[in-house]
């Protein structure tokens, strides 16, 4: 990963630093948002967030990505220290157009895993090998990772990143994403306890 540049990024919750990286292999542009001093030995509160244009920017209620992104940034701001890696792997790695094709199949009754499989994709094509060089750039070696996804914890550990704790991120259950969250829990092993999750109006 090649580090390129840093700017200030004011948000409603804190003024973060936004750092740009480019992967020389894929040409993909990734960013990291950081807050506070990450060079100390204390494990860093972290989120590894994969791009979801519909959820992060277009207010989609089909998934929980936008709410997770917001909650993660709020948690980092509240702690005054942390890092969010924003990885450009839309739609669990299948890209925006294919994600919309998968949503179209879901409108006809398929669940999120079946739709990907019917389009000829694995349920999850995300990769996390860019994370370690990005974290190393900031001197971060130990994470307290905000996620509900056990495979993400495993994938980061396989990439040599020490995840010392998992912080649950259970936000934005609503009537449109109930089935999606249940599929993630049942078929993808996500740690959800829907009974514990408050329903948004
Ligand atoms: Zn999403």
């Amino acid at each position: 990963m090649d580090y390129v540049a840093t700017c200030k990024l004011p948000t409603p919750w804190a003024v973060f630093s936004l750092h740009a990286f480019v992967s020389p292999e894929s040409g993909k542009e990734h960013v990291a948002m950081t807050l506070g001093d990450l060079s100390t030995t204390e494990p860093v509160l972290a989120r590894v967030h994969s791009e979801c244009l519909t959820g992060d920017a277009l207010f989609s209620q089909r998934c929980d990505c936008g709410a997770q992104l917001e909650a993660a940034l709020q948690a980092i701001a509240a702690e005054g220290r942390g890092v969010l890696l924003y990885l450009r792997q839309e739609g669990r790695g299948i890209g925006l157009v294919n994600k919309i094709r998968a949503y179209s199949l879901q409108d006809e009754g398929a669940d999120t895993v079946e739709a990907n499989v019917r389009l000829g994709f694995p349920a999850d094509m995300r990769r996390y090998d860019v994370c370690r060089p990005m974290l190393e750039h900031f001197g971060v070696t130990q994470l307290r990772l905000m996620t509900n996804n056990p495979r993400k914890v495993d994938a980061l550990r396989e990439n040599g990143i020490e995840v010392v704790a998992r912080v649950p991120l259970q936000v934005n259950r609503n009537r449109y994403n109930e089935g999606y969250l249940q599929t993630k829990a049942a078929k993808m092993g996500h740690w959800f306890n829907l009974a514990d999750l408050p329903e948004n109006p």
Side-chain angles (χ1 to χ4, degrees):
M1 284 299 279
D2 295 334
Y3 164 76
V4 182
T6 296
C7 71
K8 285 184 186 155
L9 191 74
T11 70
W13 316 288
V15 179
F16 287 84
S17 295
L18 180 67
H19 313 266
F21 295 81
V22 179
S23 163
E25 299 100 65
S26 66
K28 284 247 178 192
E29 299 169 326
H30 303 286
V31 291
M33 290 171 74
T34 62
L35 190 68
D37 182 3
L38 303 184
S39 65
T40 61
T41 53
E42 188 98 344
V44 175
L45 184 63
R47 167 84 182 153
V48 175
H49 191 89
S50 294
E51 175 179 30
C52 174
L53 183 84
T54 48
D56 297 342
L58 302 180
F59 314 101
S60 169
Q61 300 293 297
R62 296 188 77 124
C63 60
D64 52 352
C65 305
Q68 286 194 322
L69 177 62
E70 189 170 329
L73 291 176
Q74 283 177 351
I76 291 169
E79 196 159 297
R81 180 174 181 266
V83 59
L84 181 137
L85 302 184
Y86 192 92
L87 307 181
R88 309 293 299 286
Q89 42 187 355
E90 176 71 50
R92 291 198 207 109
I94 67 176
L96 179 61
V97 166
N98 283 324
K99 184 170 84 171
I100 292 170
R101 291 171 68 205
Y103 277 168
S104 173
L105 291 173
Q106 289 171 58
D107 288 343
E108 259 117 63
D111 72 32
T112 178
V113 172
E114 289 161 358
N116 271 32
V117 170
R118 221 186 288 175
L119 290 171
F121 297 111
D124 195 338
M125 290 176 67
R126 287 176 293 187
R127 292 176 48 183
Y128 298 100
D129 50 331
V130 296
C131 298
R132 188 175 173 181
M134 289 174 83
L135 292 169
E136 277 175 352
H137 176 79
F138 306 111
V140 171
T141 54
Q142 292 186 319
L143 304 183
R144 284 159 46 228
L145 188 70
M146 292 182 273
T147 186
N148 303 317
N149 183 354
R151 288 185 198 171
K152 193 182 286 181
V153 174
D154 292 344
L156 291 179
R157 285 179 174 154
E158 281 161 22
N159 280 283
I161 295 162
E162 209 178 324
V163 179
V164 298
R166 186 184 72 83
V167 181
L169 255 188
Q170 300 200 341
V171 286
N172 195 33
R173 170 188 172 195
N174 63 55
R175 62 198 152 113
Y176 304 106
N177 68 15
E178 181 93 22
Y180 168 82
L181 294 179
Q182 275 166 358
T183 301
K184 284 214 292 194
K187 289 195 173 178
M188 305 180 80
H190 282 226
W191 291 296
F192 278 118
N193 188 345
L194 288 172
D196 289 349
L197 195 55
E199 186 168 359
N200 289 347

